[in-house]
Structures are given as C-alpha cells and as structure tokens.
Amino acid sequence: MQHIDRISQARRLVIAGLLLLSSIAMANLPGRAWADAATASAGTAAAATQGTPNPAARGVNGLIAHLHEKFQITPAQEPLFQKLAEVMRENAETMSALAKKRADSAKTSTAVDDLKSYSEISEAHAAGTKKMIPAFQALYDSLSDAQKKAADDEFREHYSQHHHRMQ
C-alpha cells in the first residue's frame, strides 16, 4: 500500500509540473481551443479573465516580465536573460501546439489516444525543462547574491504553491 501511495504522490507532482507549463502555454492559445485547454488545466482561463496577478495566467510573456522584475536583471545580464526568455517562448509554443492538438481531439479520442497525448506532452515538458537548464544556469551564474536569493525564493514559492495544491 505504501508503494502505491508513493506512486500516487509522484504522479501528482508530475501533473503539477505539467500543469504549470501547460497553463503558461495555454494562455497563448487562440479562441475556443484556449478556453477548452485552460479549463482542463485547473482554471487558468478563469484566473486570466479575473485579472489575477499570477504571472502564468498572463502567458509566457507575463511570466518572463515577472521574472525579469523579480530577479532585477541588470543591463549587463540582459543578453543572458533574453536567451532564457527565448527558450521559454519556444517551450511555450511547443506546449501550446500540443495542448491545442489535445483539445481539438478531446471529444473523439480514445483512452489510448489520451495516454499517447499525455505522454507526448510529458516528453515535451521534460525536453523543454532540459533545454532551459543551460540558459538558466548561465543567467544564474551571473546573478549577484541578492539576485540569486530572489531566484531561489521564487522557485521555492512556486514549488510550495504547487505542492500544496496537489495534496
């Protein structure tokens, strides 16, 4: 039984991470596909229309602006931050396309199709995260101690919010 509980907890954590990137990406989806996909990802559409300060609800550009402000990026750090922002935008485009594809076929997909779609999104999420690490590492290495603390706090806060939601 304890083994099953650990699997359930791990699955919830994977879903939380997937929802984060999906909500960022889905905020950029057009029209009906955006609304359908956002509803499926824990109410992102509702948060976006209610003017919430949640940067993820404003899409990837909102998140990028939020991080730029939180990290207090200096002019010297701007090129490194822009490389990170580029990777974030590319990842969001990939996730948006996959989320749109999933939303478009949601009413006709079989259980197997659904699992395949979930796998495709999960793999893209993992690949996007791996792609982001070098860009973030280069930026992080250039940050002052105060900026690193702000970055560390931002990531801790993000984890804390998602960890509590999934319990």
Side-chain angles (χ1 to χ4, degrees), residues 6 15 30 39 66 71 80 91 104 109 121 124 126 129 135 151 162-163:
R6 280 184 288 197
I15 291 169
T39 299
H66 171 78
F71 299 170
L80 293 171
N91 288 348
D104 288 348
S109 65
I121 290 170
T129 302
H162 284 277
H163 181 69

Side-chain angles (χ1 to χ4, degrees), residues 91-109:
N91 288 348
E93 286 177 27
T94 299
M95 294 300 288
S96 290
L98 292 172
K100 182 179 182 334
K101 178 180 163 187
R102 183 178 173 98
D104 288 348
S105 66
K107 292 183 180 177
T108 60
S109 65

Side-chain angles (χ1 to χ4, degrees), residues 112-145:
V112 172
D113 294 336
D114 186 60
L115 285 173
K116 287 178 181 178
S117 174
Y118 180 78
S119 174
E120 193 174 12
I121 290 170
S122 296
E123 289 171 9
H125 174 247
T129 302
K130 287 179 182 177
K131 185 177 171 186
M132 196 179 332
I133 291 170
F136 186 76
Q137 181 73 56
L139 173 65
Y140 189 85
D141 290 346
S142 78
L143 299 177
S144 69
D145 288 344

Side-chain angles (χ1 to χ4, degrees), residues 9 19 26 31-32 68-69 79-80 123 149 152-153 155:
Q9 184 177 10
L19 286 176
M26 285 180 232
R32 184 74 190 140
H68 194 281
E69 180 182 326
L80 293 171
E123 289 171 9
K149 183 181 181 329
D152 295 343
D153 290 347
F155 276 67

Side-chain angles (χ1 to χ4, degrees), residues 72-84:
Q72 298 180 345
I73 299 300
T74 67
Q77 295 163 335
E78 193 65 35
L80 293 171
F81 186 83
Q82 288 307 315
K83 286 180 184 176
L84 174 64

